[in-house]
Amino acid sequence: PGQSATDAVAMPYGAALAALRLNHPADAHKRVLALLGLPGLDAPARKAAELLALEVAVLGNLDQPTWGTTGVAMQQRALSAPDRASVLWGAQAATRWGRAPQATDRLQTWVAEHPKDAAAWQTLSQAWAAQGHPLRAVRAEAEARVAQLDYAGALDRLRAAQDRLRPTGALSSSADHIDASIIDTRRRQIEALLKDLAQEP
């Protein structure tokens, strides 16, 4: 009583965020659930609360059962949203909660449209790794380095991926052949780029 609608949302939001920053994930979880349960949240406030809930889930290492069906619904809404924060937090939560294919599907579309988004590439790398696709994970990590203009670091990652293939000389699937081909192509492109940069006055 006596609080404005903004204050009614801002105070529990700030309390949950503070608990997370102070490394008290259980307290942050309790507070963000209380925030989500506030009556009369408008659409922007609910979205902000749900993004904070996903942040608490990811940074607090909280498994999906602690959120129930609400957590899955929040994660799916985030992945279907058009904004970057929603996509990244939704993808990280999906990967943590055993739904990495959902994360990779959305992130591949995102990085195709935003190829210089290093955080998105890094998140995609984690999602591929969670699904047991090491070549794709390393390639995405290399693309994250490219987005950060760390071309030497990207080249190291791509060469490391190729080194992993050499002991056996065999790839387990046609998808691995495609991934290996992409990695080889990107390695050559980055080597050429580094050579051009070295020749610049």
Side-chain angles (χ1 to χ4, degrees):
Q3 282 188 320
S4 69
T6 301
D7 287 341
V9 173
M11 292 179 67
Y13 184 100
L17 184 61
L20 179 62
R21 294 292 184 263
L22 292 170
N23 199 27
H24 299 302
D27 188 31
H29 175 246
K30 179 181 71 175
R31 292 177 182 277
V32 81
L33 285 179
L35 172 60
L36 289 168
L38 287 175
L41 289 179
D42 61 16
R46 178 158 295 280
K47 180 176 180 178
E50 290 190 353
L51 284 182
L52 178 59
L54 293 174
E55 185 177 353
V56 168
V58 172
L59 299 183
N61 295 318
L62 300 177
D63 293 328
Q64 185 270 320
T66 62
W67 301 91
T69 56
T70 300
V72 176
M74 288 190 305
Q75 174 253 305
Q76 291 175 338
R77 279 193 292 273
L79 281 182
S80 64
D83 61 291
R84 181 176 184 268
S86 294
V87 171
L88 293 187
W89 286 120
Q92 290 180 69
T95 300
R96 171 155 189 82
W97 293 344
R99 294 176 168 80
Q102 293 182 13
T104 52
D105 287 348
R106 182 67 179 95
L107 286 168
Q108 286 183 101
T109 301
W110 182 266
V111 297
E113 297 170 352
H114 307 87
K116 296 182 180 180
D117 191 336
W121 280 111
Q122 193 64 49
T123 304
L124 179 57
S125 175
Q126 295 164 0
W128 279 130
Q131 294 176 78
H133 294 292
L135 291 181
R136 295 178 186 181
V138 172
R139 188 258 168 135
E141 187 177 345
E143 297 295 353
R145 300 289 181 91
V146 170
Q148 295 168 328
L149 306 183
D150 179 10
Y151 302 119
L155 187 58
D156 285 343
R157 299 309 302 138
L158 295 172
R159 285 174 174 166
Q162 291 183 315
D163 288 343
R164 293 177 63 173
L165 298 172
R166 289 195 179 100
T168 61
L171 297 170
S172 60
S173 68
S174 59
D176 284 344
H177 281 282
I178 294 171
D179 293 335
S181 177
I182 293 172
I183 287 171
D184 185 60
T185 298
R186 289 298 283 149
R187 178 186 61 80
R188 294 173 187 274
Q189 290 172 342
I190 294 170
E191 283 176 340
L193 177 61
L194 284 171
K195 183 177 180 180
D196 289 344
L197 290 173
Q199 292 174 347
E200 288 183 359

